[in-house]
């Protein structure tokens, strides 16, 4: 997602901005959820607000893991950090919450560059950009994805 090297514009457009992971049907593997990703090339075309789009990808009644490549501005500079999101909404079945919680380390260890981990339990919490901004840098963050807080 976040690897930087000389790339053509087509390669950059195919890089992922956000992706969701779920458990396979038999609960034995963690897989990329089909159709639940945002590519950098989508931004400005089919996706106006990547963060709002990421939030809409989350199911209301089940758990997921997500990676989100957050771009934000502090009082000094622009930054980009990879955020691991553990989505466990209150309406999810207890067994799902337990299985996802027990597998969290297994998925996290496979990704390098994760700067922040965020466990989210409600839609209100994740829809509020300032909550993510606090995770990223507290009160020094002035905008997220180009939108002022």
């Amino acid at each position: 997602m976040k690897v930087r090297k000389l790339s053509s514009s087509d390669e950059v457009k195919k890089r992922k901005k956000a992706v969701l992971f779920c458990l396979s049907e038999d609960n034995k593997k963690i897989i990329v959820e089909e159709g639940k990703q945002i590519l950098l090339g989508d931004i400005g075309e089919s996706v106006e607000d990547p963060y709002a789009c990421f939030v809409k990808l989350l199911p209301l009644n089940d758990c997921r893991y997500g990676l989100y490549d957050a771009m934000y501005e502090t009082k000094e500079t622009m930054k980009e950090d990879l955020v691991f999101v553990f989505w466990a909404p209150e309406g999810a079945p207890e067994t799902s919450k337990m299985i996802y919680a027990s597998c969290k380390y297994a998925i996290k260890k496979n990704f390098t560059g994760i700067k922040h981990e965020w466990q989210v339990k409600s839609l209100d919490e994740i829809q509020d950009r300032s909550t993510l901004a606090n995770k990223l840098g507290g009160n020094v963050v002035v905008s997220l994805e180009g939108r002022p807080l």
Side-chain angles (χ1 to χ4, degrees):
M1 282 180 78
K2 206 177 152 164
V3 175
R4 299 280 187 249
K5 54 185 171 180
L6 294 177
S7 304
S8 70
S9 64
D10 285 340
E11 290 171 329
V12 169
K13 286 180 181 180
K14 292 177 185 174
R15 263 198 8 238
K16 292 172 178 50
K17 173 74 175 167
V19 64
L20 287 185
F21 299 90
C22 63
L23 295 174
S24 60
E25 294 275 331
D26 61 4
N27 290 337
K28 293 184 178 182
K29 295 179 187 169
I30 299 169
I31 58 173
V32 174
E33 190 169 6
E34 186 84 22
K36 301 288 184 163
Q37 63 184 0
I38 302 169
L39 302 178
L40 286 178
D42 295 339
I43 299 170
E45 293 181 18
S46 61
V47 174
E48 191 63 35
D49 180 352
Y51 184 71
C53 184
F54 173 70
V55 171
K56 287 178 186 172
L57 293 176
L58 297 166
L60 297 178
N61 295 311
D62 205 359
C63 301
R64 289 296 184 271
Y65 305 113
L67 283 178
Y68 186 78
D69 192 3
M71 290 191 65
Y72 60 101
E73 184 179 359
T74 66
K75 294 175 183 175
E76 295 88 32
T77 186
M78 289 293 295
K79 292 188 174 190
E80 186 174 7
D81 285 346
L82 193 56
V83 180
F84 177 81
V85 178
F86 174 33
W87 171 246
E90 294 162 349
E94 288 301 316
T95 53
S96 180
K97 289 179 188 178
M98 290 187 320
I99 293 168
Y100 272 83
S102 67
C103 297
K104 182 173 73 168
Y105 177 73
I107 188 171
K108 268 186 63 184
K109 73 177 183 177
N110 288 307
F111 297 110
T112 57
I114 293 174
K115 296 268 179 97
H116 307 278
E117 180 180 333
W118 188 19
Q119 183 169 334
V120 188
K121 296 180 181 179
S122 75
L123 195 57
D124 289 340
E125 182 182 4
I126 199 163
Q127 284 177 328
D128 183 1
R129 291 170 186 274
S130 62
T131 309
L132 176 55
N134 283 334
K135 279 276 179 205
L136 295 169
N139 60 0
V140 298
V141 177
V142 295
S143 73
L144 178 64
E145 301 299 341
R147 296 175 187 263
L149 296 175

